[in-house]
Amino acid sequence: MDLEPNAPKDFDFIIGQWNVKHRRLRDILNGGEQWIEFDGQSSTVKTLGGFGNIEDNHLHFPDSSIRAKAIRSYNSQTGEWSIWWLDGRNPNCLDTPVVGKFVDGVGCFYANEVYNGKAIKVRFIWNGTNPEAPTWEQAFSEDDGKTWEVNWQMEFTARNK
């Protein structure tokens, strides 16, 4: 694929194939403190001439394995990325996109969503400051972003870069 010369480079750190260590809070938004750990793999390629990318995921939960995709696109007018999640357990629905941008290698992305019938804010933080070991985390807020509960963390290790 030909890349556009002015395509953003924000997500270049995650392009390639990765092993992923997942850590997910068992009981979200209920004061839970028990974490579930599991492995996965991901593979990310550029699309839209470099103004987007698609991440293919295989997550090995303790009780099942699932497939999912992250679809990302860049709006050059606003300087923001939008990120959608497509989960193989619900293949007819894209999640509400989180929207945000990178500053100094760290991207913060937000959305309003409903979780278990409650209005919440969602936050993703992508940290590409160490391209050999990038990280991602998800957090939810029930108080419009005053406080956050981190409920999912991922650490990436290159498979063959």
Side-chain angles (χ1 to χ4, degrees), residues 39-56:
D39 294 325
Q41 295 83 35
S42 74
S43 177
T44 304
V45 296
K46 291 187 179 191
T47 189
L48 300 172
F51 284 85
N53 59 69
I54 298 175
E55 179 183 276
D56 192 25

Side-chain angles (χ1 to χ4, degrees), residues 10-11 13 72-74 79-83 97-103 105-112 121-127 135-139 148:
D10 297 321
F11 274 107
F13 66 88
R72 304 181 187 102
S73 66
Y74 183 76
E80 293 180 315
W81 287 89
S82 295
I83 306 172
V98 292
V99 178
K101 59 178 62 178
F102 280 84
V103 175
V106 178
C108 295
F109 308 88
Y110 300 91
N112 294 316
K121 282 199 174 295
V122 176
R123 179 186 73 196
F124 288 5
I125 297 178
W126 271 105
N127 188 333
T135 62
W136 172 89
E137 77 171 30
Q138 174 180 272
W148 294 93

